[in-house]
Amino acid sequence: MPQKLRRTVLLMLTVPALLLLAASPAIAQPPANDDFDSATVVPGLPFTDQLNTTEATTAADDPDCSGQGATVWYSFTPTADLRVEANTLGSDYDTTLSAYTGTRGALTQIACNDDAAGSLQSRVRFDAAAGQTYFFMVGSFASGPGGNLTFNVDVAPPPLELGLTIDPTGSVVPSKGVATISGTVTCSQPASVGVEGRMEQRAGRLLIHGFFFAFVECTPPATAWSATVEGENGRFVAGRVQVDAFAFAFDEDAFAEASATVRLRGSGP
């Protein structure tokens, strides 16, 4: 083959190959802290880290906390006893967050949270001991995709304190037998609180009972709650009922109980 023709053929073969290489996207890499053994060290508080977790992977021995997709890891060893808060507030995807002590393959979970503060982001709070290493695993909910993560660690506020009261009077619609009861939730800091319980009323030999649930965003020092109660085996009427209630915080290990005898008054047709 003549030299000039050979160069022409080589050029024709080489140019498409170069164009193909130039058009090929670079292969994305997982984050540096994708694996437990490469956990990012939190050097001190407060701490904030931002990274993209769309290429994060899941190891076979990653623990489960409402899913374990797109996991990344952090570690923190406090130099003094303190209460710690870690959260993913500011992230743009549905996260989970959990905390552990121990070693790989033998981790002990001390906290796990999916949704916090009325969002799809996560928050955990716990008492940490000086010299103990704590590992945080940030994952995506139900093994979904990652996204732009904002991870924060700081000293947590004091533990939430809850209180619960039940008002001494309530109301009932005689024609329907549906009662309304109320009370107050007290809280030392803003909190999402559920109030659930049971109401009973004696009707001859029969004990009418019903269950109730209410949700409140408690703002210190106190927020009112109310709930309707329908009898499961009969109708409530005006008179005395026994109410037992339990309040719990969705993002904190805090609860309160209350019991009271409530007088129902007839209202409506």
Side-chain angles (χ1 to χ4, degrees):
M1 179 184 297
Q3 187 68 23
K4 183 177 179 179
L5 178 59
R6 183 181 305 160
R7 288 199 300 268
T8 301
V9 172
L10 288 175
L11 181 61
M12 293 175 60
L13 292 174
T14 303
V15 170
L18 291 175
L19 292 174
L20 181 61
L21 289 174
S24 299
I27 299 175
Q29 296 296 318
N33 58 343
D34 181 55
D35 191 70
F36 176 88
D37 292 335
S38 302
T40 295
V41 175
V42 176
L45 304 182
F47 172 84
T48 295
D49 189 31
Q50 294 180 319
L51 76 160
N52 186 286
T53 65
T54 54
E55 299 299 327
T57 63
T58 305
D61 58 355
D62 278 352
D64 182 80
C65 173
S66 299
Q68 53 180 190
T71 60
V72 291
W73 287 87
Y74 296 84
S75 67
F76 174 58
T77 307
T79 57
D81 294 348
L82 76 164
R83 185 168 172 78
V84 175
E85 173 178 318
N87 65 65
T88 61
L89 303 181
S91 305
D92 67 359
Y93 66 105
D94 193 349
T95 65
T96 67
L97 176 60
S98 46
Y100 305 86
T101 57
T103 58
R104 183 167 197 162
L107 294 172
T108 299
Q109 187 179 93
I110 58 175
C112 169
N113 178 257
D114 176 21
D115 298 335
S119 71
L120 295 179
Q121 279 70 66
S122 314
R123 179 176 64 197
V124 296
R125 291 171 176 168
F126 58 90
D127 294 321
Q132 172 68 61
T133 298
Y134 298 89
F135 297 95
F136 298 100
M137 184 184 78
V138 181
S140 53
F141 174 71
S143 299
N148 294 305
L149 169 67
T150 298
F151 179 68
N152 310 290
V153 189
D154 205 347
V155 177
L160 171 66
E161 295 182 4
L162 287 182
L164 179 66
T165 67
I166 302 171
D167 293 338
T169 59
S171 63
V172 63
V173 179
S175 61
K176 298 181 179 180
V178 178
T180 300
I181 57 174
S182 58
T184 301
V185 173
T186 60
C187 52
S188 60
Q189 56 186 277
S192 300
V193 180
V195 179
E196 62 181 21
R198 176 185 177 95
M199 189 169 82
E200 296 181 337
Q201 185 178 52
R202 178 66 65 179
R205 294 184 178 181
L206 184 63
L207 188 65
I208 307 299
H209 64 265
F211 296 90
F212 61 89
F213 176 81
F215 173 83
V216 297
E217 290 290 351
C218 186
T219 302
T223 300
W225 66 270
S226 66
T228 57
V229 195
E230 185 174 355
E232 293 193 344
N233 58 337
R235 293 184 177 183
F236 291 113
V237 298
R240 295 181 181 274
V241 294
Q242 177 62 36
V243 178
D244 299 301
F246 177 82
F248 60 94
F250 284 90
D251 299 337
E252 291 275 350
D253 185 16
F255 61 90
E257 297 177 289
S259 297
T261 299
V262 176
R263 180 176 291 278
L264 298 181
R265 296 174 177 172
S267 65

